[in-house]
Structures are given as C-alpha cells and as structure tokens.
Amino acid sequence: MQNVSAPSVGRPRSGARRLPSASARDEILDAAAELFAQRGYAATSTRLIAERVGIRQASLYYHFANKEQILAELLEATVRPSLEYAATLADAEPVEALHALVVFDVGVLLDTRWNVGILYALPEIATAPFARFREERQRLRYAYRKLVVKCDHPEILADLVFGLVESVIGMRRDLDALPGTEILQQTVAAAALRLIDRTPSGPPSSRNLSGRKVREEQHR
C-alpha cells in the first residue's frame, strides 16, 4: 500500500525567507512587528502579514490564532527580559541595581529589530488579550519602585524613572539618527540617578553591557 503523507499547511513560501535561520513563527513575528510599527496595528491584517512572510493565511493561523495574539507576544517580549533581569538584582545595593536595570531595560528597547514599544499606547492594549502584557509591565514598574528607596515620594520618582527609560521608544521613532546603544544606556542611567539624587558607589559588572550582551551572558 502506498504511503500518503499528511498535507502540509498552506503552500510553499514565495520568494526568499525574511530570516533564513529563524523559525516560521519567528518570521511571522518579525513581519508583524515591522508592519505594526510602520503601518499601524489597525491597518495591518493577518493576510498582509502572511504576504510579507511569503506564506498563506492558513499557514499563519497554524502558529497564531489571530492578530491580537501576535501583538501580545511581541509586546511581552519587550518587558519580560527586563523583568527576569530585575529578579537577579535582589541582593544588590539598590542604587547600583537601579543603574544596572536601567542600562539593561534601555538595551532591550533599543535592541529590538522593530520599534514595537510605540504600540504601548494603543487603545486595544486595555482589552483582555493583552492582560498578561499589562501585568508584566506593571510588575516591571514595581521592580523599579523597589529600587528607589530613601527618597521623598519614592513611587513618583520610580515612575518618572520608568517613563525616562521608555522615552527611548519615542526617540527611536522621532529621531533620524540615535547615538550608539551603549551611549544611550549610560546617559539614561545617569539621568535616572540624578533624578533620584543618588550616585552609584561602584559599577556592577553588567553596567557597561548592552541589554543584548547581558542576555547573551545569562544564557551561556
């Protein structure tokens, strides 16, 4: 009896692959991030995302149930690494830990291939599909609050630091050219400490590393 293989999902992709070494799921996320950031979330359909990858919609739905799920995963990827890194700073001196977290967090926001952070303000983010993203972003905000100690109105100052970190999203959107990642990391971190009127007593080993470099070290 002749063996009949199961049908593949969709059709062979058209054209060259976006990210030759990546999985199909990652290629979909990459295409969606580009379209969401450049065209806007509302103006981007799953059909358009699939076309950008070079696959059919059926193939996209094999990996993601809908457009909301794609955006949720992209947004969570902008906060989860920093949240995990914050947990490693539990035993560090607060000012040193704050400096290190700012450096790392700015690196995460700048190292993403597409500026997904500009989508934080979408009204859709307040809906149910994005509940986990909102929860994780709030947990990251609380991580900053824990590190702003012995200050007047520490919660307000911590939220100002949090906003200062996320200001690089707007800089990335609005400026034709940005200084290097490490320059921005150090500048924002120094500004954060001035904001709370503190200075570090000694550099942690991660201070001069970009978010990407620290993440590489963590996964070795």
Side-chain angles (χ1 to χ4, degrees):
M1 180 180 296
Q2 183 179 4
N3 292 330
V4 179
S5 60
S8 60
V9 178
R11 66 184 177 195
R13 66 175 65 235
S14 59
R17 295 187 58 176
R18 292 177 60 88
L19 304 171
S21 62
S23 65
R25 183 182 182 88
D26 286 340
E27 286 192 293
I28 292 169
L29 287 168
D30 182 71
E34 179 185 17
L35 290 167
F36 292 159
Q38 295 182 351
R39 295 173 57 97
Y41 179 70
T44 301
S45 64
T46 53
R47 180 182 298 276
L48 188 59
I49 296 169
E51 289 175 355
R52 184 63 60 94
V53 179
I55 59 176
R56 298 187 66 179
Q57 270 185 296
S59 299
L60 183 148
Y61 289 136
Y62 177 79
H63 297 281
F64 297 97
N66 48 49
K67 186 171 70 168
E68 290 81 3
Q69 189 179 61
I70 297 173
L71 178 59
E73 185 158 332
L74 288 170
L75 292 176
E76 289 164 22
T78 67
V79 297
R80 189 168 298 146
S82 297
L83 189 58
E84 293 173 351
Y85 180 65
T88 70
L89 301 172
D91 297 329
E93 194 276 329
V95 174
E96 300 294 341
L98 179 63
H99 190 286
L101 180 57
V102 171
V103 167
F104 186 90
D105 203 5
V106 170
V108 170
L109 294 173
L110 292 177
D111 287 345
T112 55
R113 180 171 157 91
W114 308 106
N115 193 16
V116 178
I118 60 175
L119 304 172
Y120 284 2
L122 285 173
E124 290 87 349
I125 302 305
T127 62
F130 306 100
R132 185 164 62 183
F133 163 69
R134 296 196 307 273
E135 177 186 351
E136 291 188 344
R137 187 165 174 240
Q138 188 67 6
R139 286 172 59 201
L140 182 58
R141 185 189 301 274
Y142 288 148
Y144 276 96
R145 289 181 179 180
K146 286 182 180 179
L147 298 177
V148 177
V149 295
K150 298 181 181 178
C151 296
D152 294 333
H153 310 294
E155 289 189 356
I156 295 175
L157 286 174
D159 289 350
L160 286 173
V161 171
F162 191 63
L164 179 63
V165 169
E166 292 192 345
S167 71
V168 301
I169 296 169
M171 294 174 64
R172 188 175 174 184
R173 176 196 60 206
D174 298 334
L175 301 181
D176 293 333
L178 289 176
T181 295
E182 290 190 16
I183 293 175
L184 265 179
Q185 286 175 298
Q186 295 301 324
T187 302
V188 175
L193 295 192
R194 287 196 297 271
L195 186 62
I196 65 169
D197 194 25
R198 294 292 187 274
T199 56
S201 57
S205 59
S206 64
R207 174 168 302 160
N208 293 317
L209 297 177
S210 69
R212 176 184 292 125
K213 290 179 181 177
V214 175
R215 293 196 296 277
E216 288 173 354
E217 291 293 331
Q218 287 179 327
H219 289 88
R220 285 180 181 174

